[in-house]
Amino acid sequence: MRFVIQRSTGAKVTVDGETTGKIEKGLVILVGVTHDDEQADIDYLVNKTVNLRIFRGKEEKAWFDQSLLEVGGSVLLVSQFTLYADTRKGRRPGFTASASSELASPIFDRVVEAFEYAGVNVQQGVFGAMMDVELVNEGPATFILDSTDRYRSRRKG
């Protein structure tokens, strides 16, 4: 599972001209699901995200000092199968590494539930819809988290 996280001072998702999710201070998170993702991937990424110190603190030079939980921020979750695009061959991306809608949709729902369980206000787009995402990326600050990183961090100690 992959998250592309953008720190934001305001964001919204619209589908067919109707706003489906809107936040002020918080994170816009694009969520990509692959074939073998499971609850452990969700738990790792949600825990990492809500505790990652990526918000400005009270001190002038404290650029990355507080977490989402500490600032009371919200999340805007957007399903994004293109995060697993394969662009190595040709000019058209392939999406065989992306999970099918039948697999990805319930996993995405569990991501929403995990953030809610962590005490975060959650807004979202519409799974599988053509969405327009607007955001003010504060900083700009963008981070990429991949659930396979939890294995790498164990090996390095």
Side-chain angles (χ1 to χ4, degrees):
M1 184 174 297
R2 288 188 182 139
F3 285 3
V4 174
I5 301 169
Q6 295 182 303
R7 189 178 63 195
S8 179
T9 56
K12 72 176 182 175
V13 173
T14 57
V15 177
D16 295 328
E18 183 179 327
T19 299
T20 63
K22 184 176 181 179
I23 64 167
E24 292 183 14
K25 183 176 190 146
L27 301 173
V28 176
I29 305 174
L30 308 177
V31 179
V33 178
T34 191
H35 303 285
D36 56 355
D37 288 335
E38 57 190 15
Q39 191 64 44
D41 298 288
I42 296 167
D43 295 342
Y44 171 79
L45 288 177
V46 170
N47 182 57
K48 184 69 140 175
T49 300
V50 300
N51 291 296
L52 200 60
R53 294 170 55 173
I54 57 177
F55 287 91
R56 190 172 186 162
K58 297 186 187 331
E59 302 296 321
E60 183 179 331
K61 293 186 179 184
W63 289 101
F64 300 103
D65 197 45
Q66 293 189 305
S67 71
L68 180 69
L69 294 176
E70 291 170 316
V71 300
S74 300
V75 296
L76 177 59
L77 297 174
V78 179
S79 60
Q80 186 84 34
F81 76 95
T82 60
L83 293 184
Y84 279 98
D86 183 352
T87 59
R88 293 175 291 183
K89 293 183 181 178
R91 296 182 293 177
R92 185 174 311 215
F95 300 103
T96 57
S98 299
S100 67
S101 293
E102 293 77 24
L103 178 64
S105 181
I107 290 175
F108 182 80
D109 291 341
R110 290 184 2 226
V111 170
V112 171
E113 292 169 1
F115 275 106
E116 290 173 339
Y117 184 78
V120 176
N121 173 45
V122 178
Q123 298 287 306
Q124 61 184 304
V126 176
F127 187 91
M130 177 62 79
M131 296 175 269
D132 293 324
V133 181
E134 297 178 41
L135 77 134
V136 177
N137 186 338
E138 182 187 33
T142 302
F143 307 90
I144 300 171
L145 299 181
D146 193 304
S147 61
T148 60
D149 291 343
R150 73 182 191 272
Y151 301 117
R152 289 188 195 113
S153 64
R154 285 184 193 155
R155 279 187 268 152
K156 292 181 181 179

